[in-house]
Amino acid sequence: MDLSLIVDIISSSVVILGVIVGLMTLKQYHLARKREAATLILNAYQNKEFFSGLTQVFNLEEGMSKASIDLVFKDKLELLYLVMSTWESIGILMYNREITIDMIDKSHSGPLLQSWLKLEGYIKELRNEMDRHTMFEWFEWLVDRMKDREALQGRIPAYIAFKDWKQ
């Protein structure tokens, strides 16, 4: 083998190795970025105003009319819309694959489904009043995906499902 062939083989190997390392680094970067974005996104919703609105939603009776819910929230209607808009935003983020359904299931499934249980009628009345059936569509879409997931997998609380978890 002559020297030029050896140099060509080595240089080609270095280029191939460089491409492989670059692709692996890029993949790790994207995974880290996605994890960081998901954490930031989910933490952004954990604030006093959101939890204040969520608490009021939990205290609603099922099947209340829009007018009745508006009266409950009175001068704090923005808290109700904060809760609905939060679920809407999370639905969009999941659809765009910025966060996973597993992450939402583990962090928000209970409050999400309870919110829909209390607010479904409100949202449907709002859609009819405004003649805009896309109002909070991603909130409903997210709830439907969570219900589909639970129908397939069931719902076992983490404290039972992972009781044998070890660090």
Side-chain angles (χ1 to χ4, degrees), residues 7-131:
V7 170
D8 285 345
I9 291 172
I10 292 173
S11 64
S12 295
S13 298
V14 168
V15 168
I16 291 169
L17 184 61
V19 168
I20 291 171
V21 169
L23 290 173
M24 289 173 43
T25 303
L26 188 60
K27 183 177 180 181
Q28 289 299 320
Y29 168 76
H30 284 294
L31 288 173
R33 192 180 124 258
K34 195 169 193 171
R35 232 182 349 263
E36 182 181 337
T39 301
L40 288 171
I41 289 164
L42 293 175
N43 287 338
Y45 300 118
Q46 297 186 17
N47 60 58
K48 184 178 178 182
E49 291 78 21
F50 175 73
F51 285 113
S52 179
L54 191 59
T55 300
Q56 285 188 291
V57 168
F58 286 170
N59 289 326
L60 296 173
E61 294 177 27
E62 288 179 40
M64 290 178 72
S65 69
K66 181 181 176 301
S68 297
I69 292 174
D70 284 342
L71 282 174
V72 168
F73 277 86
K74 294 179 204 156
D75 58 337
K76 295 193 176 191
L77 203 55
E78 70 275 4
L79 295 178
L80 173 62
Y81 280 81
L82 174 64
V83 170
M84 294 188 303
S85 296
T86 296
W87 298 137
E88 181 84 350
S89 297
I90 290 174
I92 293 166
L93 291 168
M94 189 181 98
Y95 176 80
N96 289 330
R97 292 178 168 73
E98 295 294 324
I99 52 180
T100 66
I101 192 168
D102 188 56
M103 183 176 290
I104 297 164
D105 187 13
K106 288 178 179 169
S107 63
H108 291 87
S109 65
L112 169 70
L113 293 173
Q114 281 299 307
S115 295
W116 184 255
L117 188 63
K118 304 294 179 94
L119 298 173
E120 178 180 8
Y122 184 95
I123 290 170
K124 289 182 176 179
E125 280 186 58
L126 180 66
R127 288 171 178 170
N128 287 332
E129 276 180 20
M130 301 185 92
D131 194 26

Side-chain angles (χ1 to χ4, degrees), residues 132-162:
R132 184 74 182 187
H133 295 276
T134 57
M135 296 288 293
F136 301 107
E137 64 189 324
W138 293 105
F139 177 9
E140 184 171 357
W141 178 86
L142 180 61
V143 167
D144 290 344
R145 300 299 67 77
M146 198 59 57
K147 286 179 180 178
D148 292 346
R149 180 181 173 95
E150 288 190 3
L152 289 173
Q153 298 179 353
R155 186 67 186 132
I156 301 170
Y159 60 88
I160 294 171
F162 305 112

